[in-house]
């Protein structure tokens, strides 16, 4: 799988790309190595780039260390969320008459999250940062479209499964942010 080809396929012809994805063998390690670890770095690198462009020289050593630490913690969180979400989806799948296990759920989450990670590039520019919402909306569309081919979800179960997944992601994100805050670690985002 070529990363650029996969991203282009998800953005331009998602139905065809989901059919391809559904038939591909995958495992958690390959999904992380070839997709998640690469794309999840975009938002954090963009924030650091934006900080460097707008006032990095005025941050001082402590500010730079804090920014880099926040980027590393945020990246770790970005790597944790897809697997945590996939585990939750694999548990919830039978309730929505879906067949997929953890690997299929991670395929769905990883590829559906692609536009969210890509939209993270807008974080480099303060005025454009809210454009990442477009990435989130397209991710919901991708997730919805990928449920049937990847997880075998019946058409009538796609809307409720998508809604429950959105709530699950919010709860997991809030919980992970709370844990990081309790550890007094700086991070970007939610």
């Amino acid at each position: 799988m070529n990363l650029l080809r996969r991203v282009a396929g998800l953005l331009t012809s998602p139905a065809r790309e989901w059919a391809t994805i559904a038939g591909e063998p995958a495992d958690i390690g390959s999904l992380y190595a070839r997709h998640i670890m690469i794309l999840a770095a975009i938002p954090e690198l963009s924030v650091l780039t934006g900080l460097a462009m707008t006032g990095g020289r005025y941050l001082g050593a402590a500010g730079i260390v804090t920014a880099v630490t926040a980027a590393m913690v945020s990246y770790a969180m970005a790597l944790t969320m897809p697997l945590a979400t996939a585990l939750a989806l694999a548990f919830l799948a039978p309730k929505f008459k879906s067949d997929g296990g953890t690997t299929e759920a991670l395929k769905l989450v990883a590829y559906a999250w692609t536009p969210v990670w890509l939209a993270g590039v807008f974080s480099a520019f303060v005025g454009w940062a809210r454009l990442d919402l477009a990435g989130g909306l397209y991710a919901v569309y991708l997730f919805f479209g990928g449920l049937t081919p990847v997880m075998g979800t019946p058409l009538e179960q796609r809307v409720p499964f998508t809604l429950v997944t959105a709530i699950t992601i919010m709860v997991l994100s809030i919980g992970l942010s709370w844990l990081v805050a309790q550890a007094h670690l700086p991070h970007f985002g939610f």
Side-chain angles (χ1 to χ4, degrees):
M1 173 204 63
N2 178 304
L3 179 63
L4 294 177
R5 197 171 304 135
R6 173 58 39 89
V7 169
L10 287 167
L11 297 178
T12 60
S13 55
R16 185 173 57 219
E17 199 64 29
W18 280 126
T20 302
I21 289 167
E24 290 177 347
D27 59 60
I28 293 171
S30 68
L31 289 167
Y32 266 90
R34 295 182 185 153
H35 195 82
I36 298 169
M37 291 177 72
I38 297 165
L39 294 181
I42 292 172
E44 280 58 68
L45 292 174
S46 297
V47 169
L48 287 177
T49 301
L51 284 172
M53 289 187 314
T54 59
R57 64 181 177 196
Y58 302 111
L59 290 175
I64 291 171
V65 168
T66 301
V68 170
T69 302
M72 291 184 338
V73 170
S74 298
Y75 182 61
M77 292 170 68
L79 294 178
T80 302
M81 280 299 295
L83 185 57
T85 303
L87 290 169
L89 293 185
F91 173 76
L92 292 169
K95 293 168 181 41
F96 296 96
K97 300 179 181 121
S98 300
D99 302 326
T102 304
T103 302
E104 289 78 21
L106 185 59
K107 267 190 195 184
L108 179 62
V109 170
Y111 294 128
W113 249 329
T114 297
V116 171
W117 290 321
L118 292 175
V121 76
F122 295 124
S123 299
F125 309 100
V126 176
W128 295 6
R130 287 294 103 205
L131 289 176
D132 62 358
L133 179 63
L137 293 174
Y138 195 72
V140 172
Y141 169 74
L142 279 180
F143 181 88
F144 181 82
L147 272 170
T148 298
V150 177
M151 297 286 287
T153 306
L155 296 178
E156 68 276 2
Q157 294 293 320
R158 291 190 309 172
V159 170
F161 201 178
T162 300
L163 291 172
V164 168
T165 299
I167 293 167
T168 301
I169 290 170
M170 285 189 285
V171 169
L172 289 171
S173 182
I174 291 168
L176 185 57
S177 294
W178 180 82
L179 286 172
V180 168
Q182 295 308 303
H184 303 289
L185 295 170
H187 64 286
F188 304 131
F190 201 146

